[in-house]
Amino acid sequence: MDIRLAKLDDLAAIADIYNREVIHSTATLDTDIQSEAYWVDWLAEHPPDRFPAFVATSDDDKTVLGWSALKPWSTRKGYNRCVEVSVYVHHTSRGVGLGRTLLQTLIDAGIERGYGYLAARIGGASAASLHLHASLGFEHVGTMRRVGEKFGNVVDVVLMGKILS
Ligand SMILES: CC(C)(COP(=O)(O)OP(=O)(O)OC[C@H]1O[C@@H](n2cnc3c(N)ncnc32)[C@H](O)[C@@H]1OP(=O)(O)O)[C@@H](O)C(=O)NCCC(=O)NCCS
């Protein structure tokens, strides 16, 4: 598997991986499938020097198997040292270490870019995601009980964080 920065050609695959979670899970509380133009804007909002987005591709045919990205935690400048992590792995490629590699890539990118804190929101308190973040040193900050709603169910969101400096 290779990890590299995301580019325009990857957007359809990135959106596909994300949309499955929009439709089927509470990993994201997003409920809308977005347009191609939305994803082009999304990539523009991930300049490599500040909020990089990465893809993991297969060794053989270079298919995009997962992606990860940093994004601002808040538009208020006092929060500039904090960025939020996102990691999504194609459902047929889970459990073989891609999520771990993609999240470690974000941690390294955060350190290289001088951020002080990584935040993660774990929708629906997903066991895989909680385990993944904890195993890479994210601590449990708190559980926002009953904060969200999706598919007619009220859901918890776990906030986790990792201090970098
Ligand atoms: C969470 C997610 C990114 C994990 O990706 P993955 O490639 O399957 O994870 P890995 O194979 O790297 O496994 C990472 C760790 O989680 C563990 N894990 C994987 N699936 C698990 C599960 N269902 N329950 C508990 N632990 C699990 C692995 O054993 C591994 O632990 P280890 O390093 O101690 O052995 C993936 O399930 C996913 O894309 N989920 C939907 C989107 C999401 O929830 N994203 C996170 C919120 S931003």
Side-chain angles (χ1 to χ4, degrees):
M1 170 238 316
D2 281 328
I3 302 271
R4 59 165 172 77
L5 286 165
K7 50 189 171 66
L8 275 175
D9 285 352
D10 302 320
L11 288 178
I14 289 173
D16 266 2
I17 292 168
Y18 184 71
N19 288 339
R20 188 173 189 277
E21 304 311 312
V22 171
I23 295 166
H24 294 292
S25 88
T26 52
T28 171
L29 297 193
D30 217 346
T31 55
D32 299 322
I33 301 296
Q34 304 290 352
S35 66
E36 258 177 59
Y38 166 92
W39 285 101
V40 172
D41 290 347
W42 177 89
L43 190 62
E45 287 160 11
H46 287 84
D49 59 330
R50 296 186 62 210
F51 308 115
F54 298 98
V55 290
T57 60
S58 62
D59 287 330
D60 45 6
D61 60 359
K62 304 296 171 201
T63 306
V64 174
L65 304 174
W67 61 270
S68 65
L70 295 178
K71 69 179 176 193
W73 174 251
S74 168
T75 53
R76 297 184 183 179
K77 286 191 181 163
Y79 286 110
N80 278 359
R81 61 186 270 102
C82 178
V83 281
E84 183 171 352
V85 297
S86 300
V87 185
Y88 288 85
V89 173
H90 192 277
H91 66 284
T92 60
S93 299
R94 291 183 187 162
V96 294
L98 284 175
R100 191 180 181 83
T101 305
L102 282 162
L103 184 56
Q104 184 62 55
T105 301
L106 293 184
I107 295 169
D108 296 342
I111 293 168
E112 280 163 19
R113 286 155 185 77
Y115 291 116
Y117 194 93
L118 300 180
R121 278 185 277 190
I122 316 294
S126 142
S129 188
L130 288 173
H131 183 94
L132 168 64
H133 287 82
S135 76
L136 288 176
F138 284 71
E139 58 186 13
H140 182 264
V141 176
T143 300
M144 302 172 79
R145 294 183 56 232
R146 299 180 63 78
V147 70
E149 193 168 354
K150 193 169 177 184
F151 309 134
N153 299 316
V154 172
V155 295
D156 296 346
V157 171
V158 175
L159 188 58
M160 297 185 83
K162 181 177 174 73
I163 296 171
L164 299 182
S165 66

